[in-house]
Every structure is written in C-alpha cells, then in structure tokens.
Amino acid sequence: MSTTKPILQPKGLANLERFDLLPLLRDGVQVRYEGSIDKQGFNADWDWWLYRDRDEWVIFDVDGPGCIYNFVQHRYPESKEPTFRFYFDGEERPRFEIKPSEFGSKAPFVSPLADAYLGPDDNGRGPIRVVRSFVPMPFRTSCKITTDLQLKGPNKGDGGWGHVVYHAYDAADGVDTFTGGESYDRVLDMWRNVGEDPKPETSSKAAAHERLMIGPGETATVLDERGQGSVVSILAESAALKPADLLNVWIRATWDDHAQPDVDCPIGVFFANELGYNHVGVLSHGIRPDGRMYNYFSMPYWKSARIELINKGETEVVFASWETRVTGDYNDTYAEGSAGYFRSTPYYESKATQGADSIIGTIRGRGHLVAGHVTGFTRKSGMISCEGDVRVHIDGIATPQVESDGSESWVCYGWGFPTPPETNPSSAYDGLPDNPWSMVRLCGGDWYPFRSELVFGIEAGEYNNQYIRHSGALFYYGVDEAGLVLTDELDVGNKASEGIHSYRATGSRGYYTLESYYEGDEDHKLIRDTGHEIEGASEFIVTIAPNNKGVRLRRRSDQMTGRQKANVYVDGVLVKERSWYYADRNPYKRWLEDEFDIPAAYTAGKHELTIKLEYVQAGETRVWNEFYYWIYSLV
C-alpha cells in the first residue's frame, strides 16, 4: 500500500501511532522529566514530591500544552495502595483515576501499553512492585498528577515515587486533551506483535544474501543503492552466532556518500543484544525468541545507501541469511531537509570513568534521540551495580532535562537487574543477576529532541562511588546543521549588561549573591552569581535572528523554593500558550537552568524583542528570581 501524505508535526497519540514518521524533524517540542531524584546528589531517590494541596500530594504539575508518554511508580507490596489522580487543563475534579493494581487492566492502561513488574525477593531486599505506562496522555493547557498518599521512604511498608517523561509543546495546535476514551487499537496492535514491522506495509525490494560468510578482517557489502529511498528493515539469521560475534561483527551504514559512516557499531548493539546471554527485543530492534534478528527503524537517504558488515574477530562468522529491504514509497514523506539521517553515536568501548559519569554519547546538530543501549560490568559478581542515574543534557543546559532514579528506572524496572531476561515493547535488559547487565530503551513516543547538542551520561553506582565499566551507543535521527543559535545574553546584577538591555524592574526585593551547585553530574562545582528578587515584573530588550522559527529563553535561577511562576509578554503581547512555571525545588543544589519557548507567531521577522516577566504568586513562593538569561533563536 502507498503511504499517506506526511503528517509533519504529529503530537499526542498520533506521535506514537505512526512509527514510520519517526525520522521527521520536529519543531516546537522539548522533552522533560519529573521524578524522585535525591536532591542532595546521593541515592535516596524515594523522598520527593512537589507540594501538598489540601488532602493530596502533588507529584507532577506543568503549565502549557504537552503530552505524558511514560509514567512509573515503585513501591513495596506491603505499602498502602495509592490512588493516582490526573487533572487536565485546570479542572477542579480529576478526569482520570487509577491504582497500581489496575495497571495492565484498566482501559486504556492495558497491557502491553501499561503493566506491572514484580521483582524478586532478592535476599530480602525485595520484592518491589513497579507499575509503568507508555499510554500517551496529551493536554492543551496544563496537567497535574496527585496521589492520596505521601509517597515516601525506603523501608518495607513505604511507597516511593518514580517519574514522568513528557513532551512540552510550544503551541496546542493538533493537541486533543486526554479523555480516557480514545482508541489505542492501532498502538496496541503494534505493541502486541513485537518482532514484526510496526510500520504500514509498503512495496519494497530486498537485497538478500544466503549463507553469508565473513572471514576474519573481511568486509561484506550487503546493500549498495543509488538514488533516493529508505531502508525499511534489516533481518538476519545466524548459522551459529556466538555471543562474542555480537561484538566482533560491526555494521557500518553510510548515507549519501558521507565522509564518515552514519551508523558504526557492533551488531549486538544494532540488534539490542550486546551481551547475547538471552534474546531480548523491543518494538524497533532485537532478537526474536527463535534467534532471528530484526531492525525496523526507517533509514532514509537521498543520493545513496551503502551498508557493510566488518568482521573484527579472529574466526569466520556465518549468517544463514541477511536481508535488507528498501522502498521508494516514503520519498514524499521523507522530503530532503524535513527528515533526519538514522545514525548511531560512536560505540563507547567498555571502560570505567572513576568519580565521573560515563558519557555514552555526545551528539551535535539537530534531531532527536530514539534509542539508547548501555551495558555495565563490575569487578566481581553479586554487586548491585545499577543504581547510577542516567542524565541527559540537551542544547548545553546545565540542569539535566532527563534523569532517572537508577539505571533500571530509565528502562522502567526496579530493584536493579536481578531477573534477566526482561523485555517489554519499549525497554528490555539482559545479563546475569545484577552483574553484568545490558539495557536498551526505545523512545518511540518520548523521543528526546535537540537543536544543537545532546549529551547522554550515566553514573557508576549510587553517586559515582563504584568501579563500573560501561559500554554502549545511542541511535538518533539527525542532521549536522544546528537548529539553535545563541543571539544574546543578559547578566542580571551586572550594571553594564543591564544597561545594554534596558533592564528595569518593578516591585524589587533587592539583589543577592548565591554560592551553590547545579543538580546532576556537575553538582561538585561551586558557582557564585548575583541575581534579583522581584515581586512585580522585570523588563528587558534582547537581540534575535530575524529568520527565527521561535525564540528560547534560558534562565539561571535559585530553586530554594518551588512553584516559580511568571506571565511572559513579548512586545506587550501576552504569550497565551503557557506561563513560565517551574513547580520543583531543591534547597541543597540550588542552581537551576530552565527554559521557555516563545512560538514564532510572536517573534518571526523581528531582530529585537522587549520581554516582560510578570511574577505570579503560586504556593510558597513570594518572588520571581533571575540571575542570568541566555537568548536563543530557533533556526
């Protein structure tokens, strides 16, 4: 069947339904995270909430349009069972309620889009019950999640929190707020058939190789195409593949005659099985129970495509079959410039970075991360080596935009990796109990967009206090050109900078100097800055690029207290899509960098903007504080 006309900016449920649209580059969306990270930088990732609202504990609170794509909570079975309540678009009454025992059965939170994982007893440390959901829950103006119990404590009988991963949109176009009555049949059909191609059927041709033998040091070309097209699928069957072959045989894909390969990694990573102890697989890539390997990511090209297999081992490797299918049906959908190349980061060879995060991958340019693969080894068996947090920095921001309370939480499991293999359509892990382990996460709905850079790191142990060798790689769609440029900076408290930007404020509570740290992997670096507390409004003029597709404001602030909120005006016009609102807080690591995207409707064609930030009282906050602003033009 032929493809439909491209949906250039699918949001909400449509974003998850159309796996074939994953290569399209998107504007006006950011990925964000809220969860129970230890605010002191250690491993107490269970005691956190945003604030109490009457008889409810608020665990998630955002303003503006967006969509929740991943919801996780962990607790002991002995814990009291909470009720989660979801409020949308400023509603006074919850639109949807669910208990942990209902995950997997209460529509639309049905398996496999939502389910429960019960870990092992693990010598009395467990069991732990983890509930997870990948059900898209879009909202047009706001979303708040509450629980009727205080999720707190590490002990038996306690019930800790977890996390939410969501997309924040700069505008509500194409967003229909979640009702609970949506049809998820299309997504459920995809997710119930892991190992089969999740994309719509296309007419395609195969480059097939039977009994493919590759000697030590040899290279075999399995695809060599000229012209425009897209790889639909790569399927392989081994004659007698050993676990070592998964690391020794590399796949190298080069699109459009690029000087450097776009994909260059071991086939174990490419097929989501770096260790090869057991067969695991997610919707996009993996090894089926019968041993057949698959990768269904679309891989568009516009001039040429070349895929090679390189045997870096010392023995011959034999594949019973290797098939690469390509199509031209997506040529209109993947118009050049509107879609990214499918790429991998350079393979991160197994090594330890003592006292610092292992940086699995750094990506430059513009695009979105769609999958990650990380493997961990310790020096001896029986180590609980999975407590390290994943931390993702996007476009140079100091505060991580995505974190995880432990490695296992990034792939939505709990209490480490004691029961391999485990697999669901969006995440999986393989290995031996706790060490070694290898995890893979597909970001099919909650992909991580970036406009200039993405840095993906992971702690070694609880707070980089263990010796762990990490390896792995990231998969993403991207182009080399950045989609964001720094066009101005305002240093609040610096009189020269304030003068250049015509900075002024009403309702000033005065200036003060703070010495503190950022959260995350830089939380040992002391930073000193002077800022301003305002209970009225601040106003300043900034320079932007006239060819912008919107403007991003980044602010350094003091997050001693949470629920900082301000209305944003551009040239005297209120940005109606959202207020600038940050509900979380950290009284220990007080520096925060957060962002506000101004849609192009307010900025297009202009070279200067007058920004006004009007403080809005929310909860315990009594002022809006600001220390530094970076102004980026989206291009």
Side-chain angles (χ1 to χ4, degrees), residues 254-287:
T254 306
W255 319 122
D256 294 352
D257 300 317
H258 291 155
Q260 298 296 324
D262 293 272
V263 176
D264 195 14
C265 66
I267 61 169
V269 174
F270 190 76
F271 293 121
N273 282 256
E274 183 178 357
L275 283 179
Y277 288 179
N278 303 280
H279 295 161
V280 298
V282 293
L283 192 68
S284 51
H285 59 306
I287 301 182

Side-chain angles (χ1 to χ4, degrees), residues 205 225-231 256 299-305 326-336:
K205 64 178 183 178
E225 289 281 314
R226 307 302 299 182
Q228 182 179 353
S230 178
V231 173
D256 294 352
M299 304 177 194
Y301 52 90
W302 291 272
K303 299 178 182 66
S304 65
V326 299
T327 184
D329 283 2
Y330 287 111
N331 286 1
D332 291 336
T333 303
Y334 305 149
E336 188 170 9

Side-chain angles (χ1 to χ4, degrees), residues 19 190-191 194-196 198 281-285 294 296 424-426 442:
F19 193 82
M190 291 163 47
W191 281 48
V194 171
E196 302 299 324
V282 293
L283 192 68
S284 51
H285 59 306
Y294 64 93
Y296 294 121
N424 69 72
S426 192
L442 165 67

